Amino acid sequence: MNIDESLARLMESGTPSFSELFYRVLFQQFPQLEPHFVDLDMIHQGALLTMALATVVRHAESCNRATENYLKVLGHRHYRRGITAHDYDQFRDAVLVALAEFHGGDWSEPLADEWRETLRTATDTMLRWHTDEQVIY
């Protein structure tokens, strides 16, 4: 399985199954992050997570202006909510744990490496939200 097949499974599963799994893992492993989500509709947040992961994969495949701008806007929104660079590392770790659980026996170290690098590229872009005056926040 490669990252595109992994993403397709995630998208086909419906938003609640992966997003609920992810947020359960995130809050169990990093309970200090839960306050960032207190006032959010988690069903809506799950849909946003799924869409963001699709954009993250597309951005890694072909860094274009649209995906770069989307990630910078997303980074700015996270910044306004008090999300730190360290929190991004914890998010990435939780995504990998959730994906491993989600895929079960189809999960492999090469797939984990592919997701890890893809998430790193995206979070690096998100953390550069302030470097481009052309992005509208």
Side-chain angles (χ1 to χ4, degrees):
M1 175 183 304
N2 64 31
I3 197 167
D4 289 319
E5 294 165 328
S6 170
L7 179 64
R9 277 196 198 173
L10 186 147
M11 300 294 282
E12 291 168 5
S13 74
T15 301
S17 63
F18 180 75
S19 64
E20 287 175 359
L21 172 61
F22 166 73
Y23 287 111
R24 178 180 51 79
V25 168
L26 181 70
F27 299 148
Q28 283 176 347
Q29 290 190 349
F30 307 105
Q32 72 278 13
L33 295 179
E34 195 165 2
H36 292 292
F37 297 86
V38 170
D39 60 343
L40 298 177
D41 174 342
M42 293 307 288
I43 293 172
H44 179 73
Q45 188 65 27
L48 292 175
L49 171 69
T50 304
M51 290 186 307
L53 288 174
T55 302
V56 162
V57 170
R58 295 301 154 247
H59 181 70
E61 291 173 345
S62 60
C63 292
N64 62 60
R65 192 74 174 151
T67 58
E68 180 180 350
N69 283 345
Y70 172 82
L71 291 172
K72 285 182 176 181
V73 168
L74 195 59
H76 186 249
R77 287 180 183 162
H78 283 78
Y79 167 79
R80 287 191 344 229
R81 292 191 70 78
I83 306 296
T84 68
H86 178 67
D87 297 334
Y88 282 78
D89 294 338
Q90 295 174 334
F91 166 84
R92 184 186 56 243
D93 293 347
V95 168
L96 293 171
V97 169
L99 284 167
E101 188 174 327
F102 178 79
H103 287 303
D106 291 330
W107 187 248
S108 66
E109 196 54 39
L111 181 57
D113 290 342
E114 197 172 2
W115 269 108
R116 190 175 293 109
E117 181 59 24
T118 295
L119 292 166
R120 187 200 56 75
T121 299
T123 56
D124 286 352
T125 302
M126 290 172 70
L127 288 167
R128 290 192 326 264
W129 63 267
H130 52 64
T131 63
D132 188 351
E133 294 89 28
Q134 295 177 355
V135 177
I136 299 172
Y137 303 105

